[in-house]
Amino acid sequence: MVVMAAGAGAAMATSRPMHSVTTLITVDVRSTGSASFARRQQQQHKYEVASLSRPNLLEAAFTGLHCTDFGAFLCPRQHRFCSGISEVALQRSATHLQQSRKSRWAVVSASSGQTESKKILLMGGTRFIGIYLARLLVEAGHEVTMFTRGKAAITQQLADESDKDYAEFSGKVKHIQGDRLDFEGLKSKLSGTGFEAVYDINEAVEVEPILEALPNIKQYIFCSSAGVYLKSDLLPHFEVDAVDPKSRHKGKLDTESLLQKKGVPWTSIRPVYIYGPLNYNPVEEWFFHRLKVGRPIPVPNSGLQVTQLGHVKDLAKAFVSVLQNPVAIGEVYNISGSKYVTFDGIARACAKAAGFATPEIVYYNPKEFDFGKKKAFPLRDQHFFTSIEKAQKDLGWAPEFGLVDGLADSYNLDFGRGTFRKAADFSTDDMILEKLGIKVAVAA
């Protein structure tokens, strides 16, 4: 590993506060345990020299790179250049922490019950992700409170959950009713509550009032989206990749920036497409509706577009794995399934998972149609997938569901029982099939 610095500022790094240094350094990364860096071996990256508090230096040594030229320390996890600690001490700390890190956090991930009990606030969480996350947190012994508008029940029984288990879980979940857009009301209800960690899994909305109401919060865990990445020809997306300021998920980017600016201990999770029982987005449900009645599956263009789906239960476990985890502080993690899949592959996987015959797939050019405000296909028409290696290495987390068994879980516990979020709408399908000259004879 080679470190080069431009200008005198770098040479002064050990003799003045780091926040006053504005020079840029270029790091040639040739060997490191960091997942996001390992994927970029032989490439050069620039980081702005900035400050890193002394308490963070020891944790930084988990994956540190030492710089002998300036007696300083470069922490790729925080993108910071730090001074004030000897090279020998850093090497000793790094060796010890690297040896203990994997086993220590594998234990936390595998059995969250071994973590210290926390007083946790869930912002939202009554529809999908929070339903599974709340259960894992309660099972781990945490005190869970949900902040919602009160328009829906704060808990609901899962299809495969016994009455006894549900009663035990629901009896432990507390509730604060309020509107997070009523800033003064929110602050009034949260002030003095002593919540130690917040899981914010709502759509991107203002978080500053929450931070003001909970000034001593120990961790803010945010549900962002992989949709923030700038479209690229180079895939998969890594956490360090460029983001799109014009993305429809711009609000999530703004939230990540605010949390970092405020100096709050934070972690952001960026899922790709989420699926599983109770999914309110028509991902697998869109395919199941068509498979059930034997209709062809209309897929845009070639059907070879590559994407990625992650099961909601795996996502919930990833959310738990970052709690109380110092390695995760100030970090972003892509979370999804371990394999990528084509659009055609999703159609076939849904059929296999639900026990339907191999579907007929038809292809169309979206530019030849005017669907108005309706979506003719549930996924974005492009290659879209991420690397999850950083989460696997940092958190000891790994998805448990393969695509077919995950889709089977979704079907058997939801759609296959006659429950779904949106009724079937084949109007765009009919437009496509008519133009293609395909007649469909299906049951009503």
Side-chain angles (χ1 to χ4, degrees):
M1 191 277 293
V2 181
V3 177
M4 300 167 284
M12 300 171 63
T14 59
S15 62
R16 64 176 180 178
M18 294 303 298
H19 66 265
S20 64
V21 182
T22 58
T23 185
L24 289 178
I25 62 172
T26 300
V27 184
D28 182 6
V29 182
R30 300 189 185 279
S31 177
T32 174
S34 171
S36 58
F37 276 55
R39 277 287 189 175
R40 287 160 171 74
Q41 291 178 1
Q42 310 299 332
Q43 294 182 13
Q44 290 186 332
H45 297 272
K46 291 185 177 180
Y47 296 94
E48 185 174 355
V49 175
S51 63
L52 184 64
S53 62
R54 183 174 295 274
N56 286 336
L57 286 174
L58 193 61
E59 290 298 341
F62 270 130
T63 54
L65 307 173
H66 63 276
C67 171
T68 57
D69 291 339
F70 304 113
F73 183 81
L74 176 69
C75 175
R77 299 230 178 269
Q78 300 291 341
H79 296 182
R80 297 290 202 271
F81 193 76
C82 321
S83 67
I85 183 169
S86 71
E87 178 189 349
V88 173
L90 278 171
Q91 289 178 311
R92 185 181 300 119
S93 297
T95 300
H96 171 72
L97 286 170
Q98 286 171 341
Q99 289 173 344
S100 65
R101 172 189 173 204
K102 185 174 182 180
S103 59
R104 182 156 63 115
W105 289 113
V107 171
V108 172
S109 177
S111 178
S112 56
Q114 296 185 26
T115 63
E116 179 185 352
S117 177
K118 294 292 183 183
K119 192 173 182 180
I120 295 175
L121 176 67
L122 262 67
M123 297 300 297
T126 61
R127 292 202 295 171
F128 188 33
I129 302 171
I131 292 174
Y132 299 95
L133 174 58
R135 278 169 172 78
L136 293 181
L137 293 172
V138 168
E139 289 172 6
H142 299 295
E143 180 182 317
V144 177
T145 300
M146 302 181 75
F147 186 101
T148 78
R149 291 174 294 177
K151 293 185 177 181
I154 62 169
T155 63
Q156 60 176 294
Q157 188 171 1
L158 300 176
D160 59 344
E161 186 174 35
S162 70
D163 293 342
K164 179 182 178 181
D165 288 344
Y166 174 64
E168 183 178 353
F169 159 70
S170 59
K172 294 179 180 179
V173 179
K174 300 180 180 181
H175 183 226
I176 297 176
Q177 184 174 351
D179 185 347
R180 70 180 292 168
L181 296 180
D182 174 9
F183 299 152
E184 294 306 316
L186 178 144
K187 287 190 284 187
S188 174
K189 293 183 177 183
L190 294 186
S191 295
T193 53
F195 289 113
E196 299 168 277
V198 173
Y199 280 95
D200 193 347
I201 53 181
N202 281 147
E203 292 300 320
V205 291
E206 184 60 60
V207 303
E208 200 157 5
I210 301 174
L211 302 180
E212 292 175 1
L214 303 172
N216 298 318
I217 190 172
K218 295 180 180 179
Q219 193 173 9
Y220 199 105
I221 302 169
F222 180 61
C223 184
S224 185
S225 170
V228 302
Y229 292 115
L230 187 66
K231 186 175 180 180
S232 174
D233 293 327
L234 300 177
L235 294 169
H237 288 296
F238 288 85
E239 290 84 349
V240 296
D241 284 353
V243 294
D244 183 2
K246 297 181 180 179
S247 165
R248 68 182 182 89
H249 299 288
K250 182 180 182 299
K252 292 187 179 293
L253 283 176
D254 292 342
T255 296
E256 290 179 352
S257 297
L258 178 66
L259 291 171
Q260 187 172 27
K261 179 180 178 181
K262 291 292 183 179
V264 178
W266 64 280
T267 305
S268 184
I269 301 294
R270 292 177 179 173
V272 190
Y273 291 114
I274 312 167
Y275 73 102
L278 304 178
N279 191 3
Y280 58 84
N281 283 322
V283 179
E284 69 270 40
E285 180 182 286
W286 185 92
F287 292 92
F288 289 151
H289 272 307
R290 286 150 182 80
L291 291 165
K292 180 181 178 181
V293 296
R295 293 183 65 100
I297 308 294
V299 172
N301 294 310
S302 70
L304 298 179
Q305 301 91 318
V306 177
T307 192
Q308 186 178 26
L309 276 64
H311 198 287
V312 64
K313 295 175 185 177
D314 286 330
L315 175 61
K317 290 179 181 178
F319 270 114
V320 173
S321 72
V322 302
L323 181 66
Q324 305 184 62
N325 189 338
V327 177
I329 299 301
E331 295 296 328
V332 172
Y333 293 101
N334 297 327
I335 298 295
S336 194
S338 60
K339 289 193 174 183
Y340 312 132
V341 61
T342 64
F343 289 174
D344 285 359
I346 296 174
R348 297 188 185 104
C350 283
K352 184 175 181 179
F356 294 114
T358 301
E360 177 188 0
I361 302 175
V362 298
Y363 306 96
Y364 66 95
N365 183 352
K367 295 180 180 180
E368 296 178 355
F369 297 88
D370 180 6
F371 298 120
K373 294 183 178 181
K374 291 187 176 181
K375 290 183 67 174
F377 193 72
L379 311 175
R380 58 176 69 185
D381 183 14
Q382 65 180 69
H383 296 307
F384 177 49
F385 52 98
T386 68
S387 166
I388 59 171
E389 293 180 29
K390 180 180 176 183
Q392 291 174 306
K393 292 186 178 181
D394 279 14
L395 310 175
W397 167 89
E400 295 183 9
F401 285 92
L403 183 59
V404 174
D405 60 308
L407 290 168
D409 181 73
S410 180
Y411 184 83
N412 294 333
L413 298 179
D414 196 3
F415 194 92
R417 293 172 179 256
T419 55
F420 44 83
R421 313 293 87 73
K422 294 183 179 181
D425 179 1
F426 303 130
S427 57
T428 57
D429 298 44
D430 291 339
M431 293 173 60
I432 295 167
L433 297 175
E434 181 180 1
K435 187 175 181 63
L436 296 177
I438 299 174
K439 294 183 179 181
V440 181
V442 295

